[in-house]
Every structure is written in C-alpha cells, then in structure tokens.
Amino acid sequence: MIYFAHRGLSEHAPENTMAAFQMAVQAGAKAIELDVQRTKDGEIVVMHDFYLGRTNNGQGLLKDHSYQELSRLDAGSWFDPAFAGEKMPLLKEVMAQIPADILINIELKKPAIEENQDLAEKVVEIIHQYPRPVLVSSFDHYLLKNVQALDQSIPLGLLYCSNLIDVFQYAEQSGLKIAAIHPSIEYVSPALIQRAHDLGIQVNIYTIRRPEEVKLLEQWQADGIFVNTFAIV
Ligand code: G3P
Ligand code: MG
C-alpha cells in the first residue's frame, strides 16, 4: 500500500508548502498529494482552500489575486512561528524541487461558480515540462475530462465523497478512463476494492487518521491511502 503525504506531511508542517513536501521526502515518502488552483494571472499555485486566510495572512478568494500578490503572503506562521516566511509554492517549483522518482498526486481545485478557464491546460503543460510519475485527481470530473482530452496518457483519479451506487459505470458512461478511484474512507468496502481490481482500477482512500484504519485498509488490499503523518502507518 502506498502512503500519500496529504498536502505534504501536513501534521508536522504547514500544509501545501515546500516545508511540508520536503519533510515528507525526508521521512521517506514515495508519494505526495497537493491541491492546485489558478491565480488571476494564470499561474498554477499550490493551496487547498478557495479563500485565503486559514493557511496564510491573505484575504478574499485566491482566484482574484495575482501570483505576485500571493507570493508575498506568509503561509507558515498560522501553523507555527518556526515556519514564518514559508511561501505558497508554484506547482512548477514543487515539480522541479521534489525528487523526480516521487509520485505527485495533483488535485485540481476550481470554485464551482468560476468559469472553466484553462486550469487543465496549464497543469498539463507543467506535467509535460517536468516529466515524473503523476496522478491527476479532482472532485470536478469535467476537469478530468479536460485533462484526458489533452493527454490520454496522464493517469486520472476520480475523487468523490458519497456512497455512489456504481462509480465504475458512472465513470464509463462519462467517457472517463480512470486509473484509480479516490473515495472518502466512509464509503469504502472490501467489495468496492475487489470490483475496482477486477476492472484494473486502483483504489486510493482519503483521509486516514487512525492506525486501525490503516490496518483494515491494508487487509482489504487498498492500493493507497492519504495520511497527514507517517506516525500512524
Ligand atoms: O485527494 C485527497 C483529498 O485531498 C481530497 O480532499 O479536501 O483534502 O483536498 P481535500
Ligand atoms: Mg486534496
């Protein structure tokens, strides 16, 4: 089972910062997960929330700010003063600085009311510029279709958070060729994992916080889990 350092090693360092990713690498991570969004001026940055403020000292929606504005924010102090001055990284910085043998799960985030601009295009461009193992996931399945249309060879992970009647039929009918499903732990069963494997699809599950869950998912032969710390694995 592969352990994705979720937003980096986010229990020990401010999420989605280079410090959190480097800490994951030092701890022996084989895979990391990060969230990306498009800035007002078309840069791709790494941050989870649509609104600034929780993980930095900014205000308002991320999408309304230029990269230059965002690059001035402190993305570390909210977590611990020891991380003061950590920046919101660009996706391309993470792709360049994290060793190329580490799998990066790039989760695409876009506010629902926002027009679909060129998030998929920009991310695919960056993936092509920095060859390495990647897995692109999103709760927004239109974005996955956009990625697929641009490059069919990029592995896709279908994120969801509900007890879908038949996720595999849904994916097929939507015209999505998925490498993996990424369900929330609440909706995982041995039967789901078995069916996925019968179809040649992997199952990566978020977000795991307890050692008992790790053990159970291992028994069920899950392919991957998203964790905020390696202390539970
Ligand atoms: O990709 C797994 C997980 O990150 C999905 O949820 O909200 O933490 O991005 P979220
Ligand atoms: Mg995420």
Side-chain angles (χ1 to χ4, degrees):
M1 194 159 72
I2 191 161
Y3 306 125
F4 291 85
H6 182 237
R7 311 181 193 173
L9 217 55
S10 55
E11 198 165 304
H12 305 288
E15 65 181 55
N16 282 327
T17 63
M18 207 56 87
F21 302 132
Q22 274 159 356
M23 208 178 273
V25 174
Q26 278 153 21
K30 303 269 185 295
I32 61 176
E33 186 261 6
L34 49 80
D35 308 284
V36 299
Q37 300 184 54
R38 185 193 190 279
T39 67
K40 188 178 178 183
D41 53 339
E43 294 292 340
I44 302 300
V45 288
V46 181
M47 194 180 124
H48 178 272
D49 300 0
F50 295 135
Y51 281 91
L52 305 171
R54 181 179 65 86
T55 59
N56 53 56
N57 57 344
Q59 275 181 16
L61 280 162
L62 181 153
K63 73 168 186 71
D64 294 336
H65 292 76
S66 68
Y67 172 64
Q68 201 187 29
E69 291 165 336
L70 297 168
S71 69
R72 287 197 285 262
L73 300 178
D74 176 353
S77 294
W78 68 277
F79 184 85
D80 189 299
F83 292 99
E86 272 301 315
K87 299 290 172 217
M88 183 189 302
L90 287 161
L91 174 60
K92 59 188 176 195
E93 291 172 337
V94 181
M95 296 284 269
Q97 290 175 35
I98 294 301
D101 57 337
I102 292 181
L103 168 65
I104 299 188
N105 175 196
I106 303 170
E107 182 188 339
L108 308 181
K109 295 236 187 252
K110 179 183 75 62
I113 53 164
E114 180 69 357
E115 248 178 68
N116 189 10
Q117 291 181 312
D118 51 3
L119 177 60
E121 285 79 354
K122 300 262 182 198
V123 169
V124 169
E125 207 173 292
I126 293 168
I127 289 171
H128 289 162
Q129 276 166 2
Y130 299 90
R132 64 178 311 132
V134 291
L135 176 57
V136 173
S137 64
S138 189
F139 289 102
D140 185 329
H141 303 161
Y142 286 95
L143 290 175
L144 296 181
K145 279 210 98 170
N146 293 347
V147 171
Q148 182 173 279
L150 292 160
D151 184 344
Q152 284 206 19
S153 74
I154 296 174
L156 301 177
L158 190 90
L159 265 167
Y160 65 98
C161 184
S162 51
N163 207 0
L164 296 178
I165 305 282
D166 191 334
V167 63
F168 307 106
Q169 190 185 46
Y170 162 75
E172 200 183 336
Q173 286 187 348
S174 305
L176 277 167
K177 289 197 184 66
I178 52 172
I181 52 168
H182 289 194
S184 171
I185 184 169
E186 289 94 326
Y187 306 113
V188 174
S189 65
L192 179 81
I193 295 173
Q194 186 57 56
R195 176 117 186 271
H197 289 172
D198 289 346
L199 294 166
I201 293 171
Q202 298 201 324
V203 184
N204 301 317
I205 302 156
Y206 68 94
T207 301
I208 311 307
R209 297 191 166 81
R210 297 188 301 134
E212 308 86 87
E213 294 169 339
V214 177
K215 279 206 193 80
L216 192 64
L217 294 172
E218 185 109 52
Q219 279 169 22
W220 290 359
Q221 298 185 329
D223 298 280
I225 57 173
F226 296 90
V227 295
N228 298 329
T229 174
F230 290 150
I232 61 163
V233 303

Short mmCIF file of all heavy atoms in Angstrom, two decimals, residues 139 158-162 181-189 192 204-208 217:
data_model
loop_
_atom_site.label_atom_id
_atom_site.label_comp_id
_atom_site.label_asym_id
_atom_site.label_seq_id
_atom_site.Cartn_x
_atom_site.Cartn_y
_atom_site.Cartn_z
N PHE A 139 -12.42 16.46 -7.68
CA PHE A 139 -13.85 16.26 -7.44
C PHE A 139 -14.64 16.79 -8.63
O PHE A 139 -15.82 16.48 -8.79
CB PHE A 139 -14.31 17.00 -6.17
CG PHE A 139 -13.81 16.41 -4.89
CD1 PHE A 139 -12.74 16.98 -4.20
CD2 PHE A 139 -14.41 15.29 -4.36
CE1 PHE A 139 -12.29 16.44 -3.01
CE2 PHE A 139 -13.97 14.73 -3.16
CZ PHE A 139 -12.91 15.32 -2.48
N LEU A 158 -10.42 9.51 -9.79
CA LEU A 158 -11.77 10.07 -9.66
C LEU A 158 -12.08 10.27 -8.17
O LEU A 158 -12.30 9.30 -7.45
CB LEU A 158 -12.78 9.11 -10.28
CG LEU A 158 -14.19 9.64 -10.42
CD1 LEU A 158 -14.35 10.33 -11.77
CD2 LEU A 158 -15.21 8.51 -10.32
N LEU A 159 -12.07 11.52 -7.75
CA LEU A 159 -12.36 11.84 -6.34
C LEU A 159 -13.86 11.92 -6.13
O LEU A 159 -14.58 12.49 -6.94
CB LEU A 159 -11.74 13.19 -5.99
CG LEU A 159 -10.36 13.20 -5.35
CD1 LEU A 159 -9.80 14.61 -5.37
CD2 LEU A 159 -10.36 12.66 -3.93
N TYR A 160 -14.32 11.36 -5.00
CA TYR A 160 -15.73 11.52 -4.66
C TYR A 160 -15.92 11.31 -3.17
O TYR A 160 -15.07 10.76 -2.48
CB TYR A 160 -16.62 10.60 -5.49
CG TYR A 160 -16.43 9.11 -5.27
CD1 TYR A 160 -17.26 8.41 -4.41
CD2 TYR A 160 -15.42 8.42 -5.94
CE1 TYR A 160 -17.11 7.04 -4.22
CE2 TYR A 160 -15.27 7.05 -5.75
CZ TYR A 160 -16.10 6.37 -4.89
OH TYR A 160 -15.93 5.02 -4.70
N CYS A 161 -17.06 11.77 -2.72
CA CYS A 161 -17.35 11.74 -1.29
C CYS A 161 -18.82 11.42 -1.07
O CYS A 161 -19.55 12.24 -0.52
CB CYS A 161 -16.99 13.09 -0.67
SG CYS A 161 -17.21 13.09 1.10
N SER A 162 -19.26 10.26 -1.58
CA SER A 162 -20.62 9.83 -1.32
C SER A 162 -20.70 8.34 -1.64
O SER A 162 -19.79 7.79 -2.27
CB SER A 162 -21.63 10.61 -2.15
OG SER A 162 -21.25 10.60 -3.49
N ILE A 181 -9.86 5.14 -8.42
CA ILE A 181 -10.91 5.90 -7.73
C ILE A 181 -10.30 6.39 -6.42
O ILE A 181 -9.45 5.73 -5.82
CB ILE A 181 -12.19 5.07 -7.47
CG1 ILE A 181 -11.87 3.73 -6.77
CG2 ILE A 181 -12.95 4.82 -8.76
CD1 ILE A 181 -13.13 3.01 -6.24
N HIS A 182 -10.74 7.58 -6.01
CA HIS A 182 -10.26 8.17 -4.76
C HIS A 182 -11.47 8.47 -3.86
O HIS A 182 -11.91 9.61 -3.76
CB HIS A 182 -9.48 9.47 -5.04
CG HIS A 182 -8.15 9.24 -5.67
ND1 HIS A 182 -7.17 10.21 -5.77
CD2 HIS A 182 -7.61 8.15 -6.25
CE1 HIS A 182 -6.10 9.73 -6.37
NE2 HIS A 182 -6.34 8.48 -6.69
N PRO A 183 -12.01 7.44 -3.22
CA PRO A 183 -13.17 7.67 -2.36
C PRO A 183 -12.76 8.12 -0.95
O PRO A 183 -11.65 7.85 -0.49
CB PRO A 183 -13.82 6.28 -2.29
CG PRO A 183 -12.70 5.32 -2.49
CD PRO A 183 -11.64 6.02 -3.31
N SER A 184 -13.70 8.79 -0.30
CA SER A 184 -13.54 9.07 1.12
C SER A 184 -13.68 7.76 1.88
O SER A 184 -14.43 6.87 1.47
CB SER A 184 -14.62 10.07 1.53
OG SER A 184 -14.62 10.21 2.93
N ILE A 185 -12.99 7.63 2.99
CA ILE A 185 -12.98 6.35 3.72
C ILE A 185 -14.37 5.87 4.13
O ILE A 185 -14.63 4.67 4.19
CB ILE A 185 -12.04 6.42 4.96
CG1 ILE A 185 -11.98 5.05 5.63
CG2 ILE A 185 -12.44 7.52 5.90
CD1 ILE A 185 -10.95 4.88 6.67
N GLU A 186 -15.28 6.80 4.35
CA GLU A 186 -16.64 6.42 4.79
C GLU A 186 -17.32 5.47 3.80
O GLU A 186 -18.23 4.75 4.17
CB GLU A 186 -17.56 7.65 4.91
CG GLU A 186 -17.25 8.58 6.07
CD GLU A 186 -16.34 9.70 5.64
OE1 GLU A 186 -15.46 9.48 4.76
OE2 GLU A 186 -16.49 10.79 6.20
N TYR A 187 -16.93 5.54 2.54
CA TYR A 187 -17.68 4.84 1.51
C TYR A 187 -16.90 3.69 0.87
O TYR A 187 -17.17 3.30 -0.27
CB TYR A 187 -18.15 5.85 0.45
CG TYR A 187 -18.91 6.98 1.11
CD1 TYR A 187 -18.40 8.28 1.12
CD2 TYR A 187 -20.10 6.72 1.79
CE1 TYR A 187 -19.08 9.30 1.77
CE2 TYR A 187 -20.78 7.74 2.44
CZ TYR A 187 -20.26 9.02 2.43
OH TYR A 187 -20.92 10.01 3.09
N VAL A 188 -15.95 3.16 1.63
CA VAL A 188 -15.12 2.08 1.09
C VAL A 188 -15.52 0.75 1.72
O VAL A 188 -15.82 0.69 2.91
CB VAL A 188 -13.63 2.37 1.38
CG1 VAL A 188 -12.76 1.21 0.95
CG2 VAL A 188 -13.20 3.64 0.66
N SER A 189 -15.53 -0.27 0.90
CA SER A 189 -15.82 -1.63 1.39
C SER A 189 -14.89 -2.59 0.67
O SER A 189 -14.35 -2.26 -0.40
CB SER A 189 -17.27 -2.00 1.08
OG SER A 189 -17.43 -2.08 -0.33
N LEU A 192 -16.05 -3.04 -2.91
CA LEU A 192 -15.69 -1.95 -3.82
C LEU A 192 -14.26 -2.12 -4.33
O LEU A 192 -13.97 -2.00 -5.53
CB LEU A 192 -15.83 -0.59 -3.11
CG LEU A 192 -15.45 0.62 -3.95
CD1 LEU A 192 -16.61 1.01 -4.86
CD2 LEU A 192 -15.03 1.81 -3.10
N ASN A 204 -7.40 4.53 -4.04
CA ASN A 204 -6.63 5.35 -3.10
C ASN A 204 -7.62 6.12 -2.22
O ASN A 204 -8.52 6.79 -2.74
CB ASN A 204 -5.74 6.35 -3.85
CG ASN A 204 -4.76 5.64 -4.77
OD1 ASN A 204 -4.17 4.63 -4.39
ND2 ASN A 204 -4.60 6.16 -5.99
N ILE A 205 -7.47 6.00 -0.92
CA ILE A 205 -8.54 6.42 0.00
C ILE A 205 -8.07 7.59 0.90
O ILE A 205 -6.96 7.55 1.45
CB ILE A 205 -8.95 5.21 0.87
CG1 ILE A 205 -9.40 4.07 -0.05
CG2 ILE A 205 -10.05 5.59 1.86
CD1 ILE A 205 -9.29 2.70 0.58
N TYR A 206 -8.92 8.59 1.06
CA TYR A 206 -8.59 9.73 1.93
C TYR A 206 -9.58 9.81 3.08
O TYR A 206 -10.68 9.24 2.97
CB TYR A 206 -8.59 11.04 1.12
CG TYR A 206 -9.94 11.47 0.62
CD1 TYR A 206 -10.71 12.36 1.37
CD2 TYR A 206 -10.48 10.99 -0.56
CE1 TYR A 206 -11.97 12.77 0.93
CE2 TYR A 206 -11.73 11.39 -1.00
CZ TYR A 206 -12.47 12.27 -0.25
OH TYR A 206 -13.72 12.66 -0.68
N THR A 207 -9.31 10.60 4.06
CA THR A 207 -8.01 10.87 4.64
C THR A 207 -7.92 10.03 5.89
O THR A 207 -8.84 10.08 6.71
CB THR A 207 -7.86 12.37 4.98
OG1 THR A 207 -8.02 13.14 3.79
CG2 THR A 207 -6.50 12.69 5.61
N ILE A 208 -6.86 9.28 6.03
CA ILE A 208 -6.76 8.26 7.08
C ILE A 208 -6.02 8.84 8.28
O ILE A 208 -4.92 9.37 8.15
CB ILE A 208 -6.02 7.00 6.53
CG1 ILE A 208 -6.62 6.56 5.18
CG2 ILE A 208 -6.06 5.87 7.56
CD1 ILE A 208 -8.13 6.36 5.18
N LEU A 217 -7.50 -1.20 5.99
CA LEU A 217 -7.41 -0.94 4.54
C LEU A 217 -6.29 -1.77 3.91
O LEU A 217 -6.38 -2.15 2.74
CB LEU A 217 -7.24 0.55 4.29
CG LEU A 217 -8.48 1.37 4.71
CD1 LEU A 217 -8.21 2.86 4.61
CD2 LEU A 217 -9.70 1.00 3.87
#
